[in-house]
Amino acid sequence: MTDSARRPGSADEELLSAEWAQVETELTDPQRIDRIAAELDMAFGQLADVRRGITVFGSARLGEGTPQYELARELARRLATEARAAVITGGGPGIMEAANRGAHEGEARSIGLLIDLPFETGSNPYVELAVPFHYFFTRKVSFVRYSDAFVAMPGGFGTLDELFEVLCLVQTKKIRWYPVVLVGTDYWGGLVDWIRERVLAEGLISPGDEDLITCTDDLDEVVRICTEACDLRSGPVNAA
């Protein structure tokens, strides 16, 4: 440790910056591995009975009263009542709160996978089951493992990170097919066009990869896609 070393600001920084002289080392590698294993064990235990889960991603900055918040709330309520699905979010404010609120209003399980951030603490008041994480990557494992479909509302880097993580896993066949639905053609249309007109056109993805994404404004279509995915992966609601 040098005189200028500082304490890491998060568990991720402590792990990923462990070789930097500017960041204090607080754990040994065996301790880090134990902590990661314990976090996964905790998450798997708390989420073990989740079936028919749908994850809704979106910005923490779009609060109550914005059109995006109200749309996410309505969508989650419909996923709860029509798809009979648990709704999973990052558990924070904004779109995440809206989706948890809609699930709560639809009397479905409302789940928040929380991340330890210096500027965002605690869960929104509509989370029924809060699962805390220190590490982004253990949290991502849990999003994927317990979800049958993914819906992305407008969001920033965090939403984009989660979106492309899932797309990469499906494209590389690390996981079986999951529907990935982008809600809001006005917001997402430019990204979808870029994927088709540049990434696909220049041969950087294979033909058909662009179809891993559905972009729509139609909540009926979103509910239909998510319901079919839940039925396919977890079984119909009325199945014994």
Side-chain angles (χ1 to χ4, degrees):
M1 188 179 75
T2 68
D3 291 340
S4 60
R6 60 175 175 78
R7 293 194 62 190
S10 68
D12 282 285
E13 184 182 24
E14 199 284 332
L15 172 68
L16 299 173
S17 300
E19 306 308 313
W20 288 28
Q22 293 87 351
V23 178
E24 291 182 16
T25 296
E26 297 184 333
L27 302 172
T28 65
D29 277 346
Q31 288 173 323
R32 294 183 184 105
I33 292 169
D34 286 344
R35 187 175 187 179
I36 292 165
E39 189 156 288
L40 288 170
D41 183 64
M42 173 276 300
F44 291 173
Q46 291 202 42
L47 298 167
D49 63 344
V50 174
R51 298 292 183 272
R52 299 180 69 84
I54 299 171
T55 288
V56 179
F57 297 130
S59 174
R61 305 183 185 199
L62 295 171
E64 185 174 6
T66 63
Q68 298 92 337
Y69 181 103
E70 300 307 328
L71 187 66
R73 178 180 174 185
E74 172 62 14
L75 173 60
R77 186 191 63 77
R78 291 189 59 182
L79 292 173
T81 57
E82 297 175 40
R84 302 286 295 278
V87 174
I88 306 170
T89 78
I95 296 296
M96 294 174 281
E97 177 186 294
N100 287 129
R101 184 174 183 177
H104 177 76
E105 292 168 344
E107 299 184 349
R109 295 193 75 181
S110 179
I111 300 169
L113 307 188
L114 311 180
I115 188 69
D116 182 18
L117 295 175
F119 50 84
E120 192 174 298
T121 59
S123 63
N124 68 66
Y126 303 100
V127 170
E128 167 200 340
L129 173 61
V131 185
F133 291 86
H134 294 292
Y135 299 108
F136 269 111
F137 64 91
T138 56
R139 181 176 181 242
K140 287 179 180 177
V141 168
S142 300
F143 275 130
V144 173
R145 185 173 187 185
Y146 297 100
S147 298
D148 297 319
F150 297 89
V151 177
M153 304 293 293
F157 286 164
T159 300
L160 291 168
D161 174 51
E162 292 154 346
L163 166 64
F164 281 103
E165 176 88 13
V166 175
L167 288 172
C168 183
L169 289 171
V170 175
Q171 182 207 39
T172 57
K173 303 189 186 305
K174 286 291 187 180
I175 58 175
R176 294 190 180 188
W177 173 80
Y178 282 68
V180 178
V181 185
L182 310 183
V183 178
T185 56
D186 183 62
Y187 185 81
W188 294 112
L191 174 64
V192 173
D193 290 344
W194 175 76
I195 289 172
R196 294 179 183 275
E197 296 170 6
R198 293 300 303 271
V199 185
L200 176 63
E202 296 180 21
L204 304 180
I205 57 174
S206 300
D209 285 346
E210 76 282 10
D211 295 327
L212 296 175
I213 302 171
T214 299
C215 185
T216 183
D217 296 307
D218 185 351
L219 294 193
D220 290 339
E221 183 179 14
V222 181
V223 173
R224 176 186 60 77
I225 290 171
C226 291
T227 301
E228 290 175 356
C230 288
D231 289 346
L232 177 65
R233 295 174 55 84
S234 298
V237 172
N238 58 2

